[in-house]
């Protein structure tokens, strides 16, 4: 699977752990940065990841900042993105099964690398349930996106 990944200054160390973990599983990575502790703005990294997912250049995206909150807010402003902030395995599985999320956000200051790797593994391996009730809810989210988007 081709995965776009990005982080700000508060998440780049966890990104640098996740990238080789994903590569070892055979995934192709598009790393949009950042790669240092110099203060940067999380939207500058969320946007390119989300653009790659929406365009089809990447199948999924992963975003990491200090808490994951800023990245998830920025990501969910992009039409076509369903980003979930996840810090536990149950949520990683549920957000794929029920919400068909295409972007995962995590917080380096909230979870350690071992938990993060397991979250990523579960999130990538879990398929969307294809349940009618779940698809209906996703369709309602898409309708909201069209209603409020400047570019429907």
């Amino acid at each position: 699977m081709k995965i776009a990944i990005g982080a700000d200054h508060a998440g780049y160390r966890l990104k640098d752990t996740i990238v080789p973990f994903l590569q070892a599983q055979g995934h192709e990575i598009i790393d949009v940065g950042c790669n240092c502790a110099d203060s940067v703005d999380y939207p500058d990294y969320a946007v390119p990841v989300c653009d790659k997912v929406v365009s089809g250049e990447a199948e999924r995206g992963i975003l990491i900042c200090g808490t994951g909150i800023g990245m998830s807010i920025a990501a969910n402003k992009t039409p076509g993105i369903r980003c979930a902030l996840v810090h536990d395995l149950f949520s990683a599985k549920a957000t794929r099964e029920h919400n068909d999320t295409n972007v995962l956000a995590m917080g380096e200051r909230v979870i350690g690398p071992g938990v993060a790797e397991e979250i990523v593994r579960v999130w990538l391996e879990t398929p969307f349930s294809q349940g009618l009730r779940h698809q209906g809810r996703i369709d309602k989210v898409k309708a909201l996106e069209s209603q409020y988007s400047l570019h429907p």
Side-chain angles (χ1 to χ4, degrees), residues 5-21 31 33-39 63-67 106-114 116-117:
I5 189 167
D8 70 1
H9 60 281
Y12 84 94
R13 286 173 296 276
L14 184 56
K15 177 180 67 70
D16 288 349
T17 298
I18 297 299
V19 167
F21 171 77
D31 186 343
C34 104
N35 298 305
C36 67
D38 297 339
S39 184
L63 296 168
I64 306 167
C65 64
T67 62
M106 297 184 292
E108 180 178 309
R109 295 175 179 162
V110 180
I111 56 174
E117 288 176 353

Side-chain angles (χ1 to χ4, degrees), residues 7 21 25 34 45 83 103 109-110 117 121 130-131 137 139:
F21 171 77
Q25 294 180 348
C34 104
Y45 298 91
C83 177
V103 175
R109 295 175 179 162
V110 180
E117 288 176 353
R121 183 188 60 74
Q130 303 293 326
R137 293 168 184 154
D139 291 343

Side-chain angles (χ1 to χ4, degrees), residues 47-101:
V47 169
V49 167
C50 292
D51 286 349
K52 290 182 185 321
V53 172
V54 170
S55 73
E57 186 179 340
E59 296 169 68
R60 302 259 186 96
I62 297 173
L63 296 168
I64 306 167
C65 64
T67 62
I69 296 168
M71 285 291 201
S72 64
I73 291 169
N76 281 312
K77 299 297 182 188
T78 304
I81 294 298
R82 288 178 308 284
C83 177
L85 172 56
V86 175
H87 292 133
D88 64 86
L89 296 177
F90 177 81
S91 297
K93 184 175 181 181
T95 195
R96 284 289 308 134
E97 286 180 342
H98 297 189
N99 310 115
D100 195 20
T101 53

